[in-house]
Amino acid sequence: RWQTPSKQVSDALRAELATGLEQGEAGKKLSERVKAIFAGERASLIAQTEASRAMHAGQLLAAQESGIVSGLEWLASADACPLCLTLDGQTAKLGEPFHTVPGRGIYSDVWHPPAHPACMCTVSEVFA
């Protein structure tokens, strides 16, 4: 079952990840920041997932500001889950999500990868 963290935990995690990403940190360093909030292996999973989310959000923002990109195409990873396999090759116009999963709070609309924790999918720009 999908669980949305408390606002306090979400805010603390967001602040730590933002600081780390602004400083160019990745992988192990981001995991260390997350471990200050979560214990164990979950910290690495969260760091990996949120670093991917930040990178893809930046890619979406760049696409929106480009003036020449009309959408994004989902590219499933080699070990993709059933959800990501259904999204593979689909194109979402800018401003439209690839998929909506009711009940996941701020993660209900899937605008770009990751679609779930540990998602290794990516997107490619579609030009007008």
Side-chain angles (χ1 to χ4, degrees):
R1 178 174 136 81
W2 183 266
Q3 295 180 351
T4 303
S6 71
K7 179 160 176 25
Q8 183 179 10
V9 171
S10 293
D11 289 348
L13 179 61
R14 187 174 289 114
E16 283 297 321
L17 289 171
T19 299
L21 291 169
E22 286 171 4
Q23 294 179 11
E25 297 174 1
K28 187 175 179 181
K29 291 233 180 214
L30 287 177
S31 293
E32 290 170 6
R33 288 183 174 279
V34 176
K35 284 179 186 175
I37 300 165
F38 294 98
E41 293 180 23
R42 187 169 181 201
S44 295
L45 175 63
I46 291 169
Q48 170 202 358
T49 303
E50 294 307 319
S52 175
R53 188 178 320 283
M55 184 204 62
H56 286 100
Q59 185 179 5
L60 175 60
L61 182 61
Q64 291 169 331
E65 293 180 354
S66 73
I68 60 170
V69 175
S70 61
L72 298 175
E73 178 183 358
W74 194 277
L75 304 173
S77 66
D79 62 345
C81 71
L83 168 61
C84 291
L85 287 174
T86 65
L87 296 175
D88 189 37
Q90 286 192 22
T91 299
K93 293 179 183 177
L94 295 181
E96 295 179 6
F98 279 96
H99 184 71
T100 299
V101 182
R104 285 183 32 183
I106 62 170
Y107 300 109
S108 288
D109 289 328
V110 179
W111 298 95
H112 50 71
H116 53 79
C119 179
M120 297 301 291
C121 296
T122 193
V123 290
S124 180
E125 292 82 0
V126 175
F127 295 92

